[in-house]
């Protein structure tokens, strides 16, 4: 398969490969999903051809390309933004689910279809979104 990309498009693909693999494997100290490492490695290997040699490094011992510290630094703000959003989004969702279960019981929640669950959870989500916007985690 051949895909024609501009240098800028390839750089964005390199970014996506790094961040995608980071999402899948970044927290896995054991048993990483090798197929994602391998796919990202293919993209990294082509970085030299695209004139992006400062964004990757070759490990001669392993015979593989890896992201360089420069690439990691370039993407740190995007990853931090994602982590911040994910933290607040999941925290609010978990608190809303907890409160709904307290109100109606786990069996009732388990029996709800997606639409009903979303509707019943919505007031709790709105409550915690307002609280987090005003107070952060001070009152949680």
């Amino acid at each position: 398969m051949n895909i024609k990309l501009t240098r800028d498009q390839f750089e964005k693909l390199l970014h996506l490969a790094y961040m995608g693999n980071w999402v899948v494997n970044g927290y896995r100290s054991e048993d990483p999903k090798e197929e994602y490492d391998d796919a990202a490695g293919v993209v990294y290997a082509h970085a030299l051809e695209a004139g992006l040699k400062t964004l990757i490094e070759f490990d001669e011992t392993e015979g593989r390309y890896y992201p360089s510290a420069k690439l990691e630094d370039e993407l740190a703000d995007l990853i931090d933004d994602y982590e911040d959003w994910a933290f607040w989004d999941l925290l609010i969702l978990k608190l809303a689910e907890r409160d709904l279960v307290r109100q109606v019981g786990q069996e009732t929640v388990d029996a709800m279809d997606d639409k009903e669950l979303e509707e019943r959870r919505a007031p709790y989500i709105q409550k915690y979104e307002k609280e987090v916007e005003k107070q952060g985690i001070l009152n949680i």
Side-chain angles (χ1 to χ4, degrees):
M1 171 189 294
N2 289 321
I3 301 172
K4 292 185 180 190
L5 301 171
T6 66
R7 182 181 188 277
D8 187 57
Q9 288 171 327
F10 184 83
E11 186 172 6
K12 297 304 180 260
L13 179 63
L14 181 67
H15 292 177
L16 290 169
Y18 171 74
M19 290 185 291
N21 193 39
W22 178 86
V23 167
V24 171
N25 283 317
Y27 65 94
R28 295 175 193 274
S29 57
E30 295 179 23
D31 197 29
K33 301 288 185 183
E34 293 293 334
E35 62 272 26
Y36 291 93
D37 275 340
D38 293 343
V42 170
V43 176
Y44 302 155
H46 289 284
L48 294 174
E49 297 168 35
L52 300 167
K53 67 181 180 181
T54 62
L55 300 181
I56 53 100
E57 296 173 352
F58 185 73
D59 183 316
E60 291 187 25
T61 305
E62 293 187 32
R64 294 180 66 144
Y65 288 93
Y66 291 95
S68 69
K70 181 179 179 183
L71 178 62
E72 292 175 348
D73 288 345
E74 283 182 12
L75 299 175
D77 286 344
L78 288 174
I79 290 171
D80 288 346
D81 289 346
Y82 169 76
E83 286 180 327
D84 189 55
W85 169 84
F87 169 78
W88 291 111
D89 189 63
L90 288 171
L91 177 63
I92 289 167
L93 183 61
K94 294 295 185 184
L95 290 170
E97 288 176 356
R98 178 202 64 189
D99 289 358
L100 181 58
V101 167
R102 284 181 177 169
Q103 180 188 27
V104 300
Q106 187 66 55
E107 286 183 21
T108 303
V109 170
D110 290 344
M112 292 179 188
D113 62 26
D114 290 344
K115 184 178 181 199
E116 181 182 7
L117 179 60
E118 187 175 321
E119 288 172 359
R120 299 283 303 268
R121 199 172 43 200
Y124 298 109
I125 289 173
Q126 290 169 356
K127 168 188 161 185
Y128 285 114
E129 285 174 340
K130 288 177 186 173
E131 180 64 24
V132 163
E133 188 175 311
K134 283 192 253 179
Q135 300 293 328
I137 61 171
L138 291 177
N139 295 331
I140 296 175

